[in-house]
Amino acid sequence: VENKISGMTDYSGQDDIEDFVIEANWILAYTAFGEQNYAELEKYLSVEGVQGLHPWGIYLMTVGHRVMQSPTEVMEQDLSMLVMVCGNQNLSQSEKGDVCVMIGDLISEGYGGKSGLTADMARDYYMDAVYCGNEYAKEMINGMG
């Protein structure tokens, strides 16, 4: 709430501050991703509430894990988390497309056996990404024959 007399901003109530803390951590996480500082990215994403409001952060974290060639267990865990957030209402269509493509890619790369995700399921996730307007997914579908 802006104080009209002093021009200063006053905060009332914990909820407002918590919302700002979540948004600040999201901005820091996204900045860390841009700087390819994946450890910092994960630190900011782990702050309570950040992944709930910004589930696309799981996608960013997975990109980081792929770049760092993380162990199979990490990639399988990322895949499971992506499947869980795929239908999250806080994802934009574009973000959902990114998530679905990443799920398709990870399945295609052989991850997902422990989760019961088989190679033929990759096409379904690519199709979902196509519906979200993801161009890369179209290329993947065309490449599958």
Side-chain angles (χ1 to χ4, degrees):
V1 177
E2 186 175 336
N3 183 325
K4 304 251 188 239
I5 297 171
S6 69
M8 300 292 289
T9 303
D10 296 323
Y11 299 107
S12 60
Q14 275 303 109
D15 290 342
D16 292 340
I17 293 172
E18 289 172 10
D19 291 345
F20 285 116
V21 168
I22 289 170
E23 292 305 317
N25 278 285
W26 169 246
I27 292 167
L28 290 169
Y30 193 76
T31 301
F33 176 79
E35 295 171 350
Q36 297 180 350
N37 187 342
Y38 303 118
E40 287 291 306
L41 166 72
E42 287 189 55
K43 180 179 95 176
Y44 295 123
L45 287 177
S46 68
V47 172
E48 187 176 335
V50 175
Q51 291 179 24
L53 285 179
H54 300 284
W56 191 61
I58 301 298
Y59 166 81
L60 297 179
M61 186 175 65
T62 303
V63 169
H65 288 158
R66 284 179 88 191
V67 168
M68 295 186 309
Q69 299 178 345
S70 294
T72 298
E73 299 80 31
V74 172
M75 299 311 299
E76 287 175 348
Q77 181 180 5
D78 286 351
L79 177 57
S80 294
M81 290 186 341
L82 287 168
V83 169
M84 285 191 303
V85 302
C86 187
N88 190 303
Q89 294 178 352
N90 288 335
L91 287 173
S92 69
Q93 281 295 101
S94 175
E95 292 170 344
K96 182 176 180 175
D98 291 344
V99 169
C100 289
V101 162
M102 181 65 78
I103 292 169
D105 284 353
L106 292 175
I107 292 171
S108 296
E109 292 168 9
Y111 302 108
K114 287 186 177 180
S115 303
L117 299 170
T118 59
D120 58 324
M121 293 175 161
R123 182 180 199 86
D124 296 336
Y125 283 100
Y126 288 135
M127 287 302 297
D128 286 347
V130 167
Y131 296 136
C132 292
N134 190 293
E135 292 297 319
Y136 171 80
K138 291 178 186 175
E139 294 173 26
M140 295 307 294
I141 294 283
N142 291 335
M144 293 177 121

